């Protein structure tokens, strides 16, 4: 007796699951034993399932594979197969199918084939059933003479099934260029040019009837917030509009989402993600993590294998991350980089880009345009933020915009504005908050007195880059002492902010000390500087003029720098006072919230009786549900009978419909015959009248009218019987 892998007879559906787990292996061993047992010698065993999983199961048990003697592979259907099967079903049920309907069906099936869950003939039957249901709704009030399935029926049926597979149909307007999504981003000229070239290549290939172009896979390299995710969505929409993809969905995952914690789980997780992305794009952010660790490399190998697998040939994979790290990942797998055909580099934004995007955000939300002061504050803030770790380009500009709006909302809460506008303090505080969150933290000093520091997030108009005398220096460099590096400045700014803003219990003496100018012990040049100030007009003998002029210029710059530092300190004190007032307001709001909570508690107590009544209602509802559950169990017990009755009812209904249509045709034919007979009788009477007038006119000149037994003139006096008319005139009545 031979054993075959086939469909169907005695079948183990999804038989590859037999080899999984302890009990699955036990089931396989039992199956192998049955194949050689005399008790089951007359039994034909047929195992069915996906080829790769079946082969994996057979390879795990040599005894099982050796006992299977016949292998049959059933290829997936192509759109032409779907068309033939659909047409045969329609013909059997007496439907007429036009050529344009079959063309639309082919296109719809080609989209469904690319999605997860395609079931070949089963899905074609589902399209047929759905199309018939849609037709029934369409012709319910407007019966058709011939049974037809229209293009709209097919389109709607395919869309319904597509929606059930991907969750949501695309709202992509084919009349809008997907590249318009990139208009709000900066430094996109090269990327737009590459995308436009790809788009035109695909369009020309499709227009000229060439083979479907190789879509390939993509690598995006660049810092966060440069538009990589937006470009991925744009590519998906381009492919969807060109009908090269059945969906514009983009499955977005971080690389670590594909990596599991235990052996064997990573491959399963990657395959599940790829299956979800079928018919669309898979965007893997921070892809360089796939090259790290045992499980990361396993995920990377699985992705490489999937890129050449027919099962995932309709998935476009997009890797994104930092350029250096992505390149390191490619070195860990020699076959990975060659699988990618398109490489896009996303440059970091400049300060001008950040300011321009901030202005665009303001314009979109109907804020007043930014003035020069605000622009200067933003430029100085972005200069510092771009130098700190964690800068995320457009994403952080949007965050700064949202923070500035929050600062304004707090300011105008009690004093609404007629027009939406940002002021200097709104942006200054937002910039200060972001710098504080990004700057490296240092330990606080144990001394009782605090040193006053420059605060880098406050930028008076005189320090804007567009009005600085030395254009080569950045705003942050213009404000810094000569021997102070930027990291020290940021660290000291954080320390000052934490001391002055957060410590509300600081005594007045400490505030007075902190507000007085003084020099730290770690500033050995302080006394020397004062000395130079006191003797600024003294000139040593023999000092050349050019050296003296250079010295005077240096002293002048130091004085200007001291003046600017004083302005910054004054603004900082104002910010501290505002922060203190804000904390007081928060405290007041908390107390108000506490009173409101107490009021809510009182109301809750008053509603206790209502809750009791609701509890009683719930008890009654539970009783009703219990009874309904009993009824449901009873219904389940009768499910088979109901299904059989339903099948019989459907058969009878179909038979009644056919009988009704037959009787309807007979009645229509009978009515037609009666109408023809009545029309013939009328013509016959008119003919008799005409002949009577010709052969026996009424002496009084009246018309003849047929009455019972013969004909009488219109005056009523003269009468000719049917017998007389037949006898005397030879006319057949």
């Amino acid at each position: 007796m031979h054993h075959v892998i086939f469909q169907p007879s005695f079948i183990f559906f999804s038989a590859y699951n037999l080899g999984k787990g302890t009990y699955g292996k036990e089931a396989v061993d039992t199956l192998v034993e049955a194949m050689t047992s005399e008790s089951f010698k007359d039994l034909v065993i047929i195992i069915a399932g996906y080829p790769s999983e079946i082969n994996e199961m057979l390879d795990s048990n040599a005894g099982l594979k050796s006992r299977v003697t016949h292998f049959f592979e059933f290829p997936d259907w192509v759109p032409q197969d779907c068309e033939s099967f659909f047409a045969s079903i329609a013909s059997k049920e007496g439907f007429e199918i036009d050529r344009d309907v079959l063309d639309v069906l082919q296109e719809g099936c080609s989209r469904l084939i690319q999605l997860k869950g395609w079931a070949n003939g089963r899905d074609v039957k589902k399209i047929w059933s759905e199309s018939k249901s849609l037709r029934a709704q369409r012709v319910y009030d407007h019966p058709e003479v011939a049974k037809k399935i229209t293009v709209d029926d097919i389109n709607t049926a395919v869309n319904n099934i597509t929606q059930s597979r991907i969750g949501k149909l695309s709202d992509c307007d084919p009349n809008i260029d997907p590249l318009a999504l990139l208009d709000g981003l900066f430094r996109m000229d090269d990327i737009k040019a590459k995308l436009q070239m790809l788009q035109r290549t695909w369009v020309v290939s499709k227009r000229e009837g060439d083979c479907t172009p190789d879509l390939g896979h993509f690598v995006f390299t660049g810092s966060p917030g440069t538009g990589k995710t937006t470009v991925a969505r744009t590519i998906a929409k381009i492919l969807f509009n060109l009908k090269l993809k059945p969906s514009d969905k983009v499955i977005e995952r971080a690389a670590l989402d594909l990596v599991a914690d235990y052996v064997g789980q990573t491959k399963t997780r990657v395959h599940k993600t790829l299956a979800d992305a079928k018919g669309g794009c898979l965007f893997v952010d921070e892809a360089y993590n796939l090259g790290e660790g045992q499980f990361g490399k396993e995920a990377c190998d699985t992705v490489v294998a999937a890129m050449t697998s027919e099962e995932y040939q309709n998935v476009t994979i997009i890797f994104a991350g930092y350029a250096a790290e992505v390149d390191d990942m490619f070195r860990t797998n020699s076959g990975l980089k060659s699988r990618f055909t398109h490489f896009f580099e996303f440059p970091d934004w400049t300060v001008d880009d950040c300011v321009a995007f901030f202005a665009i955000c303001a314009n979109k939300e109907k804020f007043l345009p930014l003035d020069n002061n605000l622009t200067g504050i933003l430029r100085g803030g972005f200069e510092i933020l771009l130098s700190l770790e964690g800068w995320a380009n457009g994403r952080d500009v949007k965050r700064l915009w949202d923070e500035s709006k929050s600062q304004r909302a707090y300011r105008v809460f009690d004093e609404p504005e007629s027009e939406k506008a940002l002021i200097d303090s709104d942006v200054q505080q937002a910039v200060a908050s972001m710098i504080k969150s990004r700057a490296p933290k240092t330990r606080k000093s144990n001394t009782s007195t605090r040193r006053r520091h420059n605060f880098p997030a406050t930028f008076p108009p005189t320090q804007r880059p567009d009005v600085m005398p030395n254009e080569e220096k950045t705003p942050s460099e213009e404000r810094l002492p000569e021997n102070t590096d930027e990291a020290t400045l940021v660290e000291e700014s954080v320390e000052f902010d934490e001391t002055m803003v957060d410590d509300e219990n600081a005594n007045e003496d400490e505030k007075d000390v902190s507000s007085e100018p003084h020099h730290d012990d770690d500033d050995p040049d302080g006394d020397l500087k004062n000395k130079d100030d006191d003797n600024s007009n003294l000139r040593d003998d023999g000092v050349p003029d050019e050296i003296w002029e250079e010295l005077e210029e240096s002293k002048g710059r130091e004085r200007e720098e001291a003046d600017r530092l004083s302005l910054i300190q004054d603004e900082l004190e104002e910010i501290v006072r505002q922060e203190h007032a804000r904390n007081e307001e928060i405290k007041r709001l908390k107390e108000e919230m506490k009173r409101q909570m107490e009021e809510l508690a009182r109301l809750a107590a008053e509603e206790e009786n209502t809750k009791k009544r609701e509890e009683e209602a719930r008890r009654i509802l539970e009783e009703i549900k219990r009874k309904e559950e009993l009824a449901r169990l009873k219904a389940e017990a009768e499910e088979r009978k109901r299904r059989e009755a339903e099948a019989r009812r459907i058969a009878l209904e179909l038979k009644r419909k056919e009988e009704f249509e037959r009787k309807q045709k007979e009645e229509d034919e009978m009515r037609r015959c009666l109408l023809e007979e009545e029309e013939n009788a009328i013509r016959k009477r008119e003919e008799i009248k005409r002949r009577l007038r010709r052969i026996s006119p009424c002496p009084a000149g009246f018309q003849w009218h047929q009455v019972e037994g013969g004909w009488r003139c219109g005056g009523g006096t003269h009468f000719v019987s049917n017998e007389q008319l037949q006898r005397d005139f030879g006319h057949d009545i």
Side-chain angles (χ1 to χ4, degrees):
M1 180 62 62
H2 297 299
H3 306 288
V4 299
I5 293 182
F6 192 65
Q7 293 179 346
S9 181
F10 180 83
I11 305 177
F12 288 91
F13 285 106
S14 300
Y16 43 82
N17 289 319
L18 291 176
K20 297 179 180 179
T22 303
Y23 300 115
K25 292 180 180 179
E26 182 181 353
V28 170
D29 294 338
T30 305
L31 185 62
V32 172
E33 182 180 351
M35 287 179 172
T36 57
S37 174
E38 287 293 326
S39 302
F40 301 102
K41 64 179 181 180
D42 295 328
L43 178 64
V44 176
I45 298 177
I46 302 173
I47 302 175
Y50 296 108
S52 58
E53 285 84 349
I54 286 291
N55 290 332
E56 183 178 350
M57 181 193 72
L58 294 177
D59 291 339
S60 67
N61 191 307
L64 176 61
K65 188 173 184 179
S66 64
R67 286 170 173 76
V68 177
T69 55
H70 301 289
F71 295 82
F72 293 85
E73 184 175 353
F74 292 77
D76 287 326
W77 286 18
V78 297
Q80 291 78 7
D81 300 327
C82 301
E83 175 194 326
S84 300
F85 185 49
F86 189 93
S88 66
I89 298 176
S91 177
K92 287 180 181 178
E93 298 193 21
F95 278 79
E96 296 181 7
I97 305 295
D98 295 334
R99 181 66 252 174
D100 56 345
V101 174
L102 295 177
D103 291 340
V104 172
L105 173 71
Q106 273 203 42
E107 182 181 347
C109 289
S110 66
R111 287 157 47 198
L112 289 173
I113 287 173
Q114 299 181 61
L115 297 177
K116 176 184 178 182
W118 170 248
N120 297 286
R122 192 175 301 141
D123 273 354
V124 177
K125 290 205 70 172
K126 187 177 294 185
I127 295 174
W128 168 252
S129 300
E130 185 74 14
S131 301
K132 282 205 306 179
S133 298
L134 292 167
R135 174 192 173 273
Q137 296 177 20
R138 176 170 53 81
V139 304
Y140 181 78
D141 295 322
H142 305 284
E144 291 180 340
V145 177
K147 296 194 293 184
K148 284 189 175 183
I149 298 293
T150 65
V151 169
D152 290 339
D153 296 335
I154 296 293
N155 273 329
T156 305
V158 172
N159 286 338
N160 290 343
I161 297 174
T162 302
Q163 186 173 5
S164 69
R165 299 281 164 84
I166 64 176
K168 178 184 177 183
L169 292 178
S170 172
D171 55 359
C172 182
D173 188 348
N175 298 319
I176 298 178
D177 187 358
L179 292 177
L181 292 173
L182 309 183
D183 290 344
L185 301 178
F186 294 90
R187 303 176 71 78
M188 282 282 169
D189 293 340
D190 292 343
I191 292 172
K192 279 186 177 180
K194 288 184 178 180
L195 286 177
Q196 194 173 52
M197 180 178 293
L198 289 174
Q199 184 184 33
R200 292 183 177 183
T201 300
W202 294 330
V203 168
V204 171
S205 176
K206 187 176 181 66
R207 184 175 62 200
E208 295 179 349
D210 296 339
C211 296
T212 302
D214 183 15
L215 305 182
H217 304 287
F218 295 77
V219 174
F220 293 171
T221 55
S223 302
T226 50
K228 296 188 292 295
T229 304
T230 303
V231 173
R233 294 169 184 166
T234 300
I235 290 174
K237 290 185 181 295
I238 291 174
L239 296 174
F240 177 75
N241 282 349
L242 296 177
K243 297 183 179 179
L244 297 174
K245 292 281 186 185
S247 168
D248 64 347
K249 68 177 177 181
V250 178
I251 302 298
E252 300 174 18
R253 295 287 187 272
L256 294 179
D257 294 336
L258 304 179
V259 180
D261 299 327
Y262 303 99
V263 176
Q265 291 183 341
T266 295
K267 185 176 181 180
T268 302
R269 184 174 295 185
V270 172
H271 280 301
K272 182 180 183 303
T273 303
L274 289 167
D276 292 339
K278 277 189 173 182
C281 298
L282 172 61
F283 180 79
V284 182
D285 201 6
E286 299 175 348
Y288 44 81
N289 287 319
L290 293 180
E292 299 178 358
Q294 174 187 351
F295 299 128
K297 292 180 179 179
E298 181 184 358
C300 188
D301 294 340
T302 306
V303 171
V304 172
M307 287 180 169
T308 57
S309 171
E310 289 188 4
E311 184 177 359
Y312 303 114
Q313 63 181 352
N314 55 9
V315 178
T316 298
I317 298 175
I318 304 173
F319 274 10
Y322 295 107
E325 285 82 348
V326 169
D327 193 54
D328 291 341
M329 177 193 66
F330 283 144
R331 292 196 192 98
T332 65
N333 191 312
S334 57
L336 180 58
K337 189 172 185 178
S338 62
R339 300 292 195 282
F340 290 94
T341 51
H342 309 290
F343 295 82
F344 289 1
E345 183 176 353
F346 291 73
D348 288 326
W349 287 18
T350 63
V351 171
D352 291 337
D353 297 331
C354 298
V355 174
F357 184 54
F358 193 96
I360 289 174
C361 293
N363 182 56
K364 283 184 177 180
E365 299 194 27
K366 310 299 182 184
F367 275 70
L368 292 178
L370 306 180
D371 58 24
N372 290 336
N373 287 350
L374 287 175
T375 302
I377 293 172
L378 287 170
R379 291 183 65 86
F382 286 132
E383 285 281 359
I384 295 177
L385 287 169
L386 263 65
S387 66
L388 300 178
E389 290 186 4
W391 173 247
N393 297 283
R395 192 177 304 151
D396 273 353
V397 178
K398 186 65 169 62
R399 177 185 170 190
L400 182 62
W401 164 250
D402 293 336
E403 178 65 21
S404 300
K405 287 198 303 178
S406 298
Q407 297 289 347
R408 173 189 174 272
Y410 186 86
R411 174 174 55 81
V412 304
F413 181 78
D414 295 321
E415 299 177 0
E417 294 179 339
S418 58
E419 292 183 305
K420 296 192 294 184
L422 295 175
I423 63 175
D424 294 0
S425 61
D426 298 334
V427 179
Q428 286 171 350
Q429 293 177 33
V431 171
S433 174
M434 184 172 285
I435 290 178
K436 178 181 176 181
S437 67
R438 295 291 171 84
K441 304 298 187 292
T442 59
R443 294 183 179 178
K444 293 185 179 180
S445 172
N446 292 327
T447 59
S448 60
T449 59
R450 296 292 181 183
R451 180 175 51 178
R452 179 177 296 279
H453 298 292
N454 191 1
F455 195 76
T458 309
F459 310 99
T462 57
Q463 295 182 0
R464 297 197 311 273
D466 55 345
V467 296
M468 289 166 53
N470 186 359
E471 295 183 356
E472 294 181 356
K473 291 186 177 182
T474 64
S476 58
E477 291 170 341
E478 181 70 16
R479 294 190 301 276
L480 296 179
E482 200 169 302
N483 296 324
T484 304
D485 60 13
E486 186 176 82
T488 304
L489 172 64
V490 174
E491 292 173 4
E492 292 175 347
S493 301
V494 174
E495 180 180 355
F496 180 88
D497 189 88
E498 292 172 346
T499 304
M500 296 299 294
V501 178
D502 296 339
D503 189 4
E504 296 183 6
N505 299 320
N507 57 47
E508 294 297 324
D509 292 337
E510 290 178 345
K511 292 182 179 178
D512 293 339
V513 171
S514 64
S515 63
E516 295 178 359
H518 68 279
H519 302 284
D520 269 304
D521 294 339
D522 58 356
D523 185 9
D525 297 330
D527 294 337
L528 181 59
K529 181 180 179 182
N530 292 336
K531 182 178 180 180
D532 288 340
D533 292 340
D534 295 339
N535 301 292
S536 59
N537 295 324
L538 297 179
R539 178 175 177 177
D540 294 340
D541 295 336
V543 177
D545 290 342
E546 60 271 13
I547 294 178
W548 181 254
E549 291 175 358
E550 181 182 4
L551 181 60
E552 286 296 316
E553 290 178 0
S554 176
K555 292 178 181 179
R557 287 195 300 271
E558 290 178 356
R559 284 192 296 272
E560 291 177 359
E561 200 169 89
D563 292 340
R564 286 194 293 271
L565 178 60
S566 177
L567 289 174
I568 293 172
Q569 291 171 346
D570 291 341
E571 289 194 13
L572 179 58
E573 290 175 356
E574 177 63 24
I575 291 175
V576 171
R577 284 193 293 271
Q578 292 178 0
E579 187 70 21
H580 180 72
R582 182 186 302 177
N583 291 336
E584 289 296 325
E585 178 65 15
I586 291 174
K587 182 178 179 181
R588 184 188 66 79
L589 291 174
K590 287 181 178 179
E591 292 176 353
E592 178 65 22
M593 184 179 294
K594 182 179 179 181
R595 287 194 296 271
Q596 292 179 358
M597 293 300 294
E598 291 174 352
E599 178 66 15
L600 289 174
R602 184 185 64 80
L603 293 174
E606 291 179 354
E607 293 176 354
E608 186 64 28
N609 291 333
T610 302
K611 288 184 178 180
K612 290 181 180 179
R613 289 193 295 270
E614 291 176 351
E615 186 65 27
E616 178 64 19
R618 281 194 294 271
R619 186 190 64 78
I620 295 173
L621 183 60
E622 288 295 331
E623 180 65 21
I624 293 174
K625 288 182 177 179
R626 187 184 65 81
K627 292 180 179 180
E628 290 176 348
E629 179 66 14
L630 291 175
R632 186 185 65 81
L633 293 174
K634 182 178 180 181
E636 289 179 352
E638 298 175 353
E639 183 63 17
R640 178 176 296 179
K641 292 182 179 180
R642 189 194 65 78
R643 288 180 179 177
E644 294 175 352
E646 181 67 11
R648 289 192 296 271
R649 186 192 65 78
I650 292 174
L652 290 174
E653 182 68 20
L654 291 174
K655 187 175 180 180
R656 281 198 296 270
K657 286 183 178 179
E658 293 174 353
E659 183 66 21
F660 174 80
E661 291 177 356
R662 185 185 63 77
K663 289 182 178 180
Q664 189 70 29
K665 289 181 180 179
E666 291 177 354
E667 290 175 358
D668 291 342
E669 182 65 23
M670 185 178 296
R671 283 196 296 270
R672 186 183 62 79
C673 293
L674 291 174
L675 289 174
E676 289 179 353
E677 291 177 0
E678 184 177 355
E679 184 179 0
N680 292 334
I682 292 172
R683 285 199 299 268
K684 185 176 181 181
R685 286 196 299 272
E686 290 299 323
E687 178 64 21
I688 293 174
K689 288 181 182 181
R690 186 181 61 78
R691 292 182 179 181
L692 282 173
R693 285 194 300 270
R694 188 176 70 247
I695 63 177
S696 181
C698 174
F702 291 104
Q703 295 290 332
W704 292 96
H705 299 279
Q706 187 176 17
V707 296
E708 184 178 0
W711 296 79
R712 187 174 296 277
C713 71
T717 305
H718 304 92
F719 176 80
V720 178
S721 66
N722 291 332
E723 293 80 3
Q724 184 181 358
L725 186 63
Q726 175 69 25
R727 183 182 66 252
D728 297 340
F729 301 104
H731 287 285
D732 185 10
I733 306 304

